[in-house]
């Protein structure tokens, strides 16, 4: 079917797709009404209710990428129908759920309906030419009004027949819509042509190729605001109006609908404007107006007192209800225009990947609908200001506007080229002679660096490289120490008079892991930009901020919780340093010594976790800095009341940070040729083994750093009679030493084989922790609990080494398949480049374990009163890692089976010959 013959059906396709998306959106938001009755029946807490309502939003956002890819591969008609039927089945089964876990499982399935947006975008765009796609996608996106359909109709059904009837009727309606959609639509022209000609769909991995472009993630930020903030405000506005303006629920609901309905229907007009005037211009107006609107809305009620020459004048400044309604309508109107403008870009830039790109952008926007209401609640609790939600949106839209403008200006400068670069920065400088810039050579910059040249390496290179390594190790050790300092401090906060809940304490222990892992992604690319010497110095100096901040904050029990949250996030500076440190050292050594150098840098750097857990309990017990260190807190313990200098946990590291930063600046070097662009490394996002190794390395390093952060506080809560902090350092110590001491196992037997048995050992370790946790009231239970954790730490260290050994072997083997026409040297270079990029990326992803493991312990204890639920989840995860390792790599026919068996035979023959 050609585009010309397809166009007469385009209107019918668009109409049915919009109706289907409206039905899906109505089902996706069903908990906004029936959740209230479910909450009453089950007696849910605020946290449980929020999780129930947010689960469909979260899963609907996350599944959009997958559904978008499937749409590109198999066609929107099939995938859209299957999506609706799956959502209908889950919604119908919800009516038979009686317990909270059953409700959550059903909510996961209902979330599938929310993923339909990515399907519809890819399907509808293929029926329209580029000059009409903006209008078409705007009309399709107006299906957001399905949320209003649920809010208007569901309450009547709920009151008359019960919430189960709402679920059953909505499920039946969605199933009927799926059948009507299948009967009244056709395969899109691209899919029809592919089937007619017998062309097989491309690999799903190739559909992910465009996602390496930063531009797509910028579009995602735009949609995070225009769609995610729209969903968040639709959920947040009723209670905002009730609490701030004292309205009843009926009036607040009508005003909220006044915001959400136009913000959905006017999306079609945004598509028309994008087609007529250009999507970029519409986005500019959207962000400018939304910046002004959120600034006005974020201003809290304020009383001013002005002392003038003629006396005192006071006045009150506050937005009234009328001004609020008008401003919020303007905000919703421009959000609607912006939603259409964002999706106008996607088929224009990525016509062959609308599904995958649209799915990712839609996923990020959907995550905004999940994350932002939580953020609004957190900000309200921390600040006490109802307008804090609009403050957050002001920062968000302002950042999007600045990023968009800078990106467009950079593109314009690139297009203008040399003529623009010749213009002076100011008109007044026109015609003046150009200044002559003279640069002095620096001994710190190595302009001639040839580590692969044996003569150069022996005479000059080895000494320089080793000096940089010796300076890098203490800097990285301090980074790990600051990153994990909360793992000890949070366990002592209650003794110092802080009245934080268990969940709040686990949040403090987990947040450094979240920020550190996120920073690793960015830090990986900083060394080629700034140079290893400068970047190591700056990142080491940055550790001063959380160290000093902790020292002052813990001295006063009245310090707000938000200050501790900020300090916990700032401790992530230490976590991010690992990625840049490893990248920097890798440039100094030849390939024959690179592995050992990186092992020393990483393994000895990991000792920082043990250092902090060993040193901090000692230094907080003495007045280390005298009067300069502040007064102690009087802490009650089983031995009585004793002084506690908790501030030393931060102050202790300050002198060492200063020394290390100065040594890095005066002793390290930059390598002029150490350059690697992001585009060259981004090819790893097309490699499925990159994602598999992220999963496996999360199981090893993610577990190591997560247990390091969570074990002290967990043991303190489970065994309060035991001073577990004096033993906590042993776990990370065992893990760090086993990483550096067992690398030969992977070299001798193969990294995949060792990794397989590592996960088997970790399963045994978790089983031991579960066993002794269940009998924690029995004598000696703590020592069994502690020994099981030592087994886990030992296994993670071995696995850290073995998984990193797998990566270059996988890349080398894959190059034979991916580059069959290239010579051996070209394949070797490409394999090494990809292996280095995968190593850095997996280390960043795995570091999120430092957040998820402590947070899982805290959430499990908050919801069930025990950590056993989290431990069972970890056990299931390790089972998946073991199965994945065997299926993909170690079984007969696996990628590394023949290589590792051949390596073992070769090693055995060499041993026999000796």
């Amino acid at each position: 079917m050609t585009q010309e013959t397809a166009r007469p059906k385009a209107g019918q396709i668009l109409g049915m797709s919009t109706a289907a998306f409206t039905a899906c959106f109505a089902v996706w938001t069903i908990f906004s009404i029936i959740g209230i009755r479910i909450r009453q029946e089950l007696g849910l807490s605020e946290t449980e209710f929020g999780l129930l309502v947010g689960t469909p939003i979260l899963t609907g956002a996350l599944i959009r990428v997958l559904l978008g890819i499937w749409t590109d591969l198999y066609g929107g008609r099939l995938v859209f129908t299957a999506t609706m039927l799956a959502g209908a089945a889950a919604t119908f089964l919800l009516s038979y759920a009686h317990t909270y876990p059953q409700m959550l499982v059903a909510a996961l399935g209902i979330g599938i309906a929310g993923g339909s947006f990515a399907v519809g975008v890819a399907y509808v765009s293929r029926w329209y030419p580029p000059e009409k796609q903006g209008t078409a996608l705007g009309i399709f996106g107006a299906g957001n009004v399905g949320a209003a359909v649920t809010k208007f109709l569901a309450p009547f059904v709920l009151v008359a027949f019960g919430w189960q009837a709402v679920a059953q009727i909505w499920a039946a309606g969605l199933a009927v819509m799926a059948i009507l959609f299948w009967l009244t639509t056709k395969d899109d022209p691209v899919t029809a042509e592919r089937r007619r000609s017998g062309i097989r769909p491309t690999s799903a991995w190739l559909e992910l190729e465009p996602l390496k472009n930063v531009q797509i993630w910028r579009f995602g930020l735009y949609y995070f605001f225009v769609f995610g903030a729209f969903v968040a405000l639709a959920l947040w506005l009723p209670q905002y109006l009730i609490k701030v303006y004292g309205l009843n629920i009926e009036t607040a609901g009508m005003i909220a609908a006044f915001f959400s309905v136009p913000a959905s229907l006017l999306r079609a007009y945004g598509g028309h404007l994008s087609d007529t005037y250009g999507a970029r211009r519409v986005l500019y107006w959207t962000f400018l107006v939304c910046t002004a609107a959120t600034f006005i809305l974020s201003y809290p009620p304020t009383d001013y007192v002005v002392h003038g020459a003629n006396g005192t004048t006071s006045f009150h400044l506050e937005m009234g209800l009328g001004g609020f309604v008008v401003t919020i309508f303007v905000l919703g109107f421009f959000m609607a225009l912006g939603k259409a403008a964002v999706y106008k870009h996607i088929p224009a830039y990525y016509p062959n990947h609308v599904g995958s790109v649209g799915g990712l952008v839609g996923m990020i926007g959907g995550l905004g609908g999940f994350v932002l209401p939580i953020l609004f609640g957190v900000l309200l609790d921390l600040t006490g200001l109802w307008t804090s939600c609009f403050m957050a949106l002001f920062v968000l839209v302002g950042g999007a506007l600045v990023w968009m403008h800078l990106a467009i200006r950079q593109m314009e400068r690139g297009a203008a080229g040399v003529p623009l670069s010749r213009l002076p920065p100011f008109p007044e400088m026109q015609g003046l002679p150009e200044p002559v810039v003279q640069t002095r050579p620096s001994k710190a910059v190595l302009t001639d660096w040839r580590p692969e040249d044996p003569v150069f390496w022996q005479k000059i290179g080895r000494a320089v490289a080793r000096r940089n390594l010796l300076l890098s190790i203490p800097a990285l050790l301090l980074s790990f120490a600051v990153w994990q300092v909360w793992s000890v401090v949070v366990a002592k906060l209650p003794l110092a008079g802080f009245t934080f809940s268990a969940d709040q304490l686990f949040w403090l222990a987990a947040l450094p892991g979240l920020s550190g892992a996120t920073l690793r992604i960015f830090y990986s690319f900083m060394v080629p930009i700034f140079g290893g010497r400068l970047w190591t110095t700056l990142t080491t100096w940055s550790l001063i901020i959380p160290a000093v901040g902790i020292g002052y904050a813990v001295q006063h029990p009245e310090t707000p919780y938000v200050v501790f949250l900020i300090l916990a996030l700032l401790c992530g500076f230490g976590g991010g340093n690992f990625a840049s440190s490893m990248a920097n050292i890798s440039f100094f050594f030849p390939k024959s010594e690179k592995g050992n150098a990186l092992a020393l840098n990483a393994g000895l750097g990991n000792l920082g976790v043990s250092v902090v857990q060993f040193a901090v309990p000692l230094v907080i017990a003495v007045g280390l800095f005298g009067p300069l260190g502040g007064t102690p807190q009087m802490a009650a313990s089983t031995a009585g009341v004793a002084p506690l200098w908790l501030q030393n946990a931060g102050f202790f590291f300050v002198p060492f940070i200063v020394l290390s930063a100065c040594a890095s600046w005066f002793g390290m070097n930059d390598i002029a040729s150490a350059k690697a662009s992001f585009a060259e490394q981004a090819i790893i996002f097309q490699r499925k083994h990159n994602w598999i190794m992220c999963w496996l390395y999360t199981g090893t390093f993610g577990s190591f750093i997560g247990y390091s952060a969570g074990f002290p506080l967990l043991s303190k809560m489970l065994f309060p009679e035991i001073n577990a902090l004096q033993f906590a350092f042993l776990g990370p110590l065992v893990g760090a030493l086993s990483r550096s001491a067992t690398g030969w196992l992977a070299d001798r037997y193969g990294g995949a084989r060792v990794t397989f048995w590592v996960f088997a050992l970790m399963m045994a370790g978790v089983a031991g922790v579960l066993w002794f946790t269940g009998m924690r009231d029995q004598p000696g239970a703590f020592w069994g609990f502690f020994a099981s954790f030592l087994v886990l730490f030992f296994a993670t260290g071995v696995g850290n080494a073995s998984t990193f050994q797998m990566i270059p072997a996988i890349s080398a083997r894959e190059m034979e398949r991916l580059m069959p026409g290239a010579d051996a040297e070209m394949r070797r270079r490409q394999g090494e480049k990809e292996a280095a990029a995968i190593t850095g990326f997996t280390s960043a992803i795995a570091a999120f374990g430092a957040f998820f493991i402590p947070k899982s312990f805290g959430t499990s204890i908050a919801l069930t009163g025990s950590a056993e639920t989290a431990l069972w989840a970890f056990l299931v995860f390790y089972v998946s890692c073991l199965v994945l390792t065997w299926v993909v790599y170690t079984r007969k026919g696996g990628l590394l089976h023949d290589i590792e068996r051949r390596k073992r035979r070769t090693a055995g023959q060499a041993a026999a010959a000796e």
Side-chain angles (χ1 to χ4, degrees):
M1 184 185 298
T2 64
Q3 185 74 13
E4 286 72 14
T5 59
R7 284 176 188 171
K9 296 182 178 295
Q12 179 182 341
I13 297 295
L14 177 59
M16 289 304 302
S17 298
T18 304
F21 180 51
T22 302
C24 287
F25 214 91
V27 168
W28 193 31
T29 57
I30 192 172
F31 278 107
S32 64
I33 300 300
I34 68 173
I36 299 173
R37 182 63 58 84
I38 293 173
R39 176 184 183 178
Q40 295 171 348
E41 292 183 1
L42 298 182
L44 302 181
S45 66
E46 292 288 345
T47 301
E48 290 171 329
F49 177 70
L51 181 61
L52 180 64
V53 174
T55 295
I57 305 299
L58 178 63
T59 55
L62 295 178
I63 203 173
R64 287 184 174 188
V65 175
L66 180 61
L67 292 179
I69 292 173
W70 284 351
T71 303
D72 282 341
L73 296 179
Y74 307 112
R77 180 172 177 248
L78 174 62
V79 178
F80 213 147
T81 303
T83 299
M84 286 188 281
L85 291 176
T91 308
F92 184 78
L93 292 175
L94 171 66
S95 63
Y96 291 94
H98 301 289
T99 64
Y100 183 64
Q102 292 173 347
M103 299 283 184
L104 289 178
V105 172
L108 288 172
I110 292 173
I112 297 174
S116 60
F117 178 72
V119 182
V121 167
Y123 181 56
V124 169
S125 66
R126 288 180 173 178
W127 290 92
Y128 286 87
E131 64 274 11
K132 294 184 178 180
Q133 285 176 344
T135 301
L137 294 180
I139 294 173
F140 170 75
N144 289 347
V145 77
V149 172
T150 293
K151 291 179 181 178
F152 279 122
L153 299 181
F156 297 101
V157 180
L158 175 69
V159 172
F161 304 106
W163 70 263
Q164 292 88 348
V166 178
Q168 292 172 356
I169 294 173
W170 263 238
L174 188 59
V176 170
M177 177 56 68
I179 297 172
L180 291 176
F181 181 82
W182 178 260
L183 295 176
T184 57
T185 58
K186 301 292 183 182
D187 286 331
D188 62 82
V190 175
T191 303
E193 178 62 23
R194 182 190 297 155
R195 290 175 178 171
R196 187 190 63 79
S197 58
I199 300 175
R200 295 183 60 186
T202 58
S203 169
W205 298 106
L206 294 180
E207 293 294 330
L208 295 172
E209 180 180 2
L211 305 189
K212 67 184 181 182
N213 296 325
V214 178
Q215 179 191 54
I216 294 175
W217 300 90
R218 178 160 52 86
F219 292 163
L221 174 63
Y222 301 165
Y223 206 61
F224 188 88
F225 173 75
V226 294
F227 176 75
F230 156 72
V231 174
L233 286 176
L235 298 173
W236 189 256
L237 277 179
Q239 64 172 329
Y240 184 96
L241 291 165
I242 293 171
K243 296 294 184 179
V244 176
Y245 293 105
L247 304 180
N248 57 41
I249 190 170
E250 294 84 359
T251 306
M254 292 301 296
I255 294 176
F258 182 68
F259 164 78
S260 59
V261 173
S264 300
L265 298 179
L266 291 172
R267 183 170 182 164
Y269 183 59
H272 169 71
L273 292 178
S274 298
D275 285 337
T276 305
Y277 300 104
R280 185 188 303 169
R281 181 177 296 180
V282 174
L283 273 180
Y284 258 120
W285 278 107
T286 295
F287 290 152
L288 286 170
V289 174
C290 289
T291 300
T294 52
F295 177 79
I296 295 171
L297 291 167
S298 66
Y299 206 85
T302 309
D303 291 306
Y304 287 93
V305 177
V306 180
H307 299 283
N310 298 322
T312 300
T313 303
S314 61
F315 59 92
H316 178 76
L317 187 63
E318 181 179 2
M319 175 174 281
L321 177 61
F324 178 84
V325 172
V326 172
T327 308
I328 203 73
F329 174 79
V330 171
L331 182 65
F333 172 76
F334 278 91
M335 281 180 168
L337 303 186
K339 284 183 282 188
V342 171
Y343 269 87
K344 169 67 176 177
H345 284 82
I346 294 173
Y349 282 97
Y350 305 98
N352 298 322
H353 301 276
V354 175
S356 59
V357 175
L360 177 66
V361 173
M363 180 195 76
I364 296 173
L367 287 176
F370 174 77
V371 172
L372 287 176
I374 299 175
L375 177 62
F376 293 167
V378 171
L379 290 176
L380 178 60
D381 290 338
L382 295 177
T383 66
L385 297 175
W386 277 97
T387 59
S388 58
C389 61
F390 295 107
M391 296 177 187
L393 295 183
F394 172 75
V395 173
L396 179 61
V397 69
L401 175 61
V402 171
W403 192 3
M404 181 180 73
H405 182 68
L406 292 177
I408 292 173
R409 292 295 298 161
Q410 183 179 9
M411 180 182 65
E412 291 173 345
R413 286 193 296 268
V418 176
L420 184 62
S421 66
R422 290 175 178 173
L423 293 177
F426 300 103
E428 292 80 3
M429 297 177 64
Q430 189 83 28
L432 295 178
E434 295 184 3
V436 178
V437 180
Q438 295 181 345
T439 59
R440 294 182 299 174
S442 172
K443 294 181 180 180
V445 180
L446 304 174
T447 56
D448 179 23
W449 187 250
R450 294 171 282 115
E452 302 296 340
D453 183 343
V455 177
F456 175 86
W457 179 249
Q458 292 295 333
K459 289 185 176 181
I460 302 173
R462 176 176 280 121
V464 175
R466 287 182 174 177
R467 184 181 72 246
N468 280 270
L469 175 61
L470 290 175
L471 293 173
S472 175
I473 288 173
L476 186 56
L477 186 147
L478 288 168
S479 296
F480 270 90
V482 172
W483 192 24
Q484 293 300 304
V485 71
W486 277 119
S487 64
V488 180
V489 172
V490 293
K492 293 291 187 181
L493 287 177
L495 297 177
F498 292 91
T499 58
F500 299 143
S501 66
D503 192 51
Q504 287 177 314
L505 293 175
F506 272 110
W507 265 109
L508 293 179
L511 280 179
L514 179 64
S515 58
T518 304
L519 287 174
R520 281 190 178 193
I521 299 174
F522 301 99
Y523 278 29
S524 299
F525 307 103
M526 293 297 104
V527 169
I529 298 174
F530 292 96
R533 168 174 169 258
L534 175 59
W535 187 249
T536 303
T537 302
L538 291 175
T539 53
T540 304
W541 273 116
S542 71
L543 304 177
I544 285 280
I545 302 173
V548 173
I550 291 171
Y552 284 111
V554 299
Q555 296 185 52
H556 306 287
E558 64 275 11
T559 302
Y561 181 65
V562 64
V563 174
F564 286 96
L565 289 175
I566 294 172
L567 289 172
L569 289 170
L570 292 175
C571 283
F573 286 156
N577 288 358
F578 178 83
S580 57
S581 178
M582 296 292 281
N584 181 45
I585 292 303
S586 68
F587 288 115
F588 281 96
F589 287 84
K591 295 178 178 62
S592 58
E593 299 185 29
K594 193 186 297 288
N596 184 55
L598 293 177
L600 288 172
N601 194 51
L604 297 179
N606 287 352
L607 284 177
V609 181
S610 294
V611 168
V612 74
Q613 294 183 347
F614 175 77
V616 169
L618 297 178
V619 300
I620 63 176
V622 296
L624 197 64
F625 298 98
L628 295 177
T631 58
Q633 305 90 29
M634 302 309 295
S637 64
T638 56
V641 178
L644 186 71
W645 286 267
L646 194 55
Q647 59 267 33
N648 288 352
F651 291 154
F652 172 73
F653 294 102
V654 171
F656 299 102
I657 293 171
V658 173
L659 289 174
S660 179
C662 293
S664 298
W665 178 253
F666 292 106
M668 295 187 76
N669 299 96
D670 292 326
I671 300 176
S673 60
K675 295 180 180 180
S677 68
F678 175 78
E680 291 174 330
Q681 301 174 70
I683 195 173
I684 66 171
F685 298 124
Q686 303 174 30
R687 310 300 193 216
K688 68 177 182 180
H689 295 286
N690 172 53
W691 305 102
I692 294 175
M693 292 310 300
C694 283
W695 189 265
L696 299 183
Y697 194 58
T698 299
T700 56
F701 179 78
S703 297
F704 166 78
I705 200 65
Y707 291 141
S708 299
F711 171 76
L713 187 55
L714 179 65
S715 59
K716 182 71 175 177
M717 291 186 171
L718 296 182
F719 302 93
E721 71 281 1
I722 303 293
N723 184 14
L725 290 182
Q726 61 184 323
F727 309 110
F729 76 96
L730 290 174
L733 177 64
V734 168
L737 294 179
S738 66
R739 177 174 190 166
S740 55
T742 61
W744 61 273
L745 284 173
D747 288 335
R748 183 176 178 86
Y749 297 103
R753 299 174 70 190
V754 173
T755 300
F756 177 88
W757 291 108
V758 160
F759 286 122
L761 184 59
M762 294 179 71
M763 291 162 56
V766 173
V769 174
L770 277 167
W771 175 267
F772 290 106
T773 299
M775 54 176 292
R776 60 180 178 271
D777 296 331
Q778 302 298 319
F782 170 76
W783 299 110
F785 171 85
F786 181 58
S788 300
F789 258 107
L790 287 183
V791 171
L792 278 171
F793 276 110
F794 173 80
T796 61
V798 178
N800 288 339
S802 63
T803 47
F804 264 18
Q805 193 273 349
M806 291 171 63
I807 292 174
I810 293 169
S811 295
R813 185 65 181 268
E814 280 289 274
M815 289 307 108
E816 298 175 6
R817 178 181 65 86
L818 296 171
M819 305 175 65
D823 57 37
E825 178 62 20
M826 183 178 296
R827 289 200 297 266
R828 182 190 64 81
R829 289 197 302 267
Q830 181 64 20
E832 289 182 350
K833 182 175 70 174
E834 293 192 18
I838 292 173
T839 298
F841 186 73
T842 54
S843 73
I845 299 301
F848 282 102
F851 168 77
F852 286 110
I853 287 181
K855 190 63 187 73
S856 297
F857 284 142
T859 301
S860 177
I861 292 174
L863 295 179
T864 67
S866 169
E868 293 181 3
T869 302
L871 290 167
W872 277 109
F874 300 154
L875 180 60
V876 172
F877 175 69
Y878 297 144
V879 171
S880 73
C881 292
L882 182 142
V883 172
L884 193 61
T885 304
W886 181 79
V887 170
V888 180
Y889 299 115
T890 63
R891 67 176 176 85
K892 189 174 182 179
L895 187 69
L896 299 179
H897 177 274
D898 295 339
I899 295 176
E900 295 188 345
R901 294 307 189 280
R902 184 167 59 249
K903 178 185 296 187
R904 178 74 182 100
R905 288 195 298 270
T906 303
Q909 293 169 0
E914 293 176 357

